[in-house]
Amino acid sequence: MSLIRSLFGNPLSTDVWAPSGSSNEISTFANAQVDWKETPEAHVFKADLPGLKKEEVKVEIEEGRVLQISGERSLEKEEKNDKWHRVERGRGKFLRRFWLPENAKVDEVKASMENGVLTVTIPKAEEKKPEVKSIEISGA
């Protein structure tokens, strides 16, 4: 099922990108890649955010069950004598949202950033196993 979602889009996630500068600029940062895996203990999100510092990224839980990852890469300060030959690195604001399943413990979210990779870990609630009670069958 997750492979199908990755091929045809995931109805559980939304992407918003507002690039800075001219509209004909192509930005590789616009497609900030995010992996979402589910382990027996947690939901783990990994986002590639090269060149960003943790202070430039926000991780929030909205509406009780929506994980929101946002941030901004600013334009480099230009000197008057600078002459740019090529600008390919993305910049501007980005926003990714993921609808979390009911088993996500949104009060225990942890986030860390290392080498341009943001990792968000959301523990899962234990599955409640249905109580089974054996009934004795009477008769001959």
Side-chain angles (χ1 to χ4, degrees):
M1 173 83 68
S2 61
L3 178 59
I4 293 171
R5 281 192 182 135
S6 68
L7 292 174
F8 299 105
N10 186 347
L12 302 177
S13 92
T14 58
D15 306 324
V16 178
W17 175 252
S20 300
S22 66
S23 61
N24 64 354
E25 259 181 41
I26 296 172
S27 175
T28 56
F29 192 63
N31 296 319
Q33 301 295 309
V34 179
D35 294 339
W36 174 2
K37 75 175 176 179
E38 182 175 350
T39 68
E41 299 81 29
H43 294 276
V44 181
F45 295 81
K46 289 191 179 242
D48 286 342
L49 304 172
L52 287 181
K53 300 175 192 140
K54 67 180 186 177
E55 296 80 21
E56 298 170 313
V57 178
K58 284 171 68 173
V59 177
E60 302 169 307
I61 298 292
E62 285 190 338
E63 301 172 14
R65 282 195 23 230
V66 178
L67 171 65
Q68 178 171 293
I69 301 171
S70 61
E72 180 173 8
R73 177 176 289 150
S74 303
L75 293 169
E76 281 188 32
K77 186 177 177 183
E78 288 190 37
E79 299 296 325
K80 289 182 181 180
N81 295 329
D82 288 348
K83 179 180 177 183
W84 290 86
H85 292 277
R86 181 173 290 264
V87 178
E88 293 183 350
R89 296 184 309 142
R91 57 195 168 277
K93 295 181 181 181
F94 71 93
L95 172 66
R96 298 288 308 263
R97 286 189 177 120
F98 300 91
W99 292 92
L100 298 171
E102 289 186 27
N103 68 352
K105 291 182 173 181
V106 294
D107 295 333
E108 299 179 26
V109 177
K110 291 190 171 138
S112 64
M113 192 147 170
E114 189 174 330
N115 297 325
V117 178
L118 172 70
T119 301
V120 180
T121 304
I122 305 170
K124 290 171 39 179
E126 288 185 32
E127 257 186 60
K128 292 184 179 177
K129 298 194 173 160
E131 187 176 315
V132 178
K133 180 180 177 184
S134 294
I135 309 297
E136 186 177 327
I137 301 173
S138 62

